[in-house]
Amino acid sequence: MKVLIAYSSRTGNTRRVAEALAKAAPEGSLLARVEDTPSADGFDVVFAGYWLDRGGPDANAKEFLHSLHGKHIVLFETMGADPRSEHAYTGFANAGTELSPDNQIVGVFAVQGVDPALLAMMRKMPEGSAHHSAQMEQTVKEAAKHPNAEDLKQAETYMKQFIEKYGRYHH
């Protein structure tokens, strides 16, 4: 099985997750930034990674997602919020709307991680707003510690388990 791991990363967080996924990917797989990705033809599965920007994939990732047709896709995202939060699920749903209907989403994987500059930007917003609260500040401080070694190990494990499960049904 050949896997294309394409990612968009502004701060390096999504790139680090993509690299962890690539460590466990089958031989013949390819890791590339979405801007440098060749055609997805010839790959059995596309892992498409992005950072959340206003609740959806960033602009470069959107462009890449639009280019995919007839593919099995695993979406992976990095964000400031908890990876098990509604915000994470909404991010996957919004990414799905960027895909043509001939694609099939076969998996999702989220990791916390945020641009440390976000905290400074949030502090400039009006006190008490949804993006400048004590709770939001705590969330961003926690997110700035990620992706950590445990997160990257989970990404490797996700790939191994995905290949084991998916490979049984798609040869």
Side-chain angles (χ1 to χ4, degrees):
M1 179 187 318
K2 287 178 62 177
V3 177
L4 171 61
I5 304 162
Y7 67 92
S8 177
S9 188
R10 185 173 68 184
T11 63
N13 289 332
T14 312
R15 175 186 48 79
R16 289 173 56 212
V17 174
E19 289 169 348
L21 290 164
K23 277 173 123 175
E27 194 172 322
S29 297
L30 176 69
L31 171 68
R33 294 177 340 136
V34 293
E35 303 91 332
D36 304 327
T37 302
S39 166
D41 295 343
F43 290 95
D44 302 299
V45 180
V46 176
F47 275 65
Y50 52 88
W51 49 277
L52 279 187
D53 184 18
R54 296 182 202 103
D58 65 274
N60 288 339
K62 282 182 183 179
E63 191 174 318
F64 174 72
L65 292 171
H66 290 164
S67 75
L68 299 173
H69 294 281
K71 292 293 166 196
H72 290 108
I73 299 171
V74 174
L75 299 170
F76 68 98
E77 61 189 18
T78 58
M79 78 208 85
D82 185 307
R84 298 169 306 266
S85 68
E86 184 176 339
H87 187 61
Y89 299 122
T90 300
F92 290 129
N94 289 336
T97 66
E98 302 296 334
L99 293 166
S100 67
D102 62 342
N103 291 298
Q104 181 181 1
I105 298 171
V106 294
V108 294
F109 183 74
V111 175
Q112 200 169 27
V114 71
D115 182 350
L118 180 62
L119 198 53
M121 187 178 75
M122 284 172 38
R123 288 179 177 151
K124 293 177 184 173
M125 295 180 179
E127 185 77 43
S129 73
H131 289 89
H132 188 180
S133 65
Q135 181 182 358
M136 183 59 83
E137 184 154 332
Q138 187 56 43
T139 299
V140 172
K141 280 182 180 176
E142 180 58 33
K145 300 174 189 174
H146 296 270
N148 60 26
E150 180 60 31
D151 298 325
L152 300 178
K153 186 76 179 148
Q154 287 177 4
E156 283 185 61
T157 300
Y158 182 92
M159 177 63 82
K160 288 174 186 171
Q161 291 173 342
F162 178 84
I163 296 303
E164 184 180 310
K165 178 182 171 188
Y166 190 82
R168 261 189 249 143
Y169 304 108
H170 299 83
H171 290 288

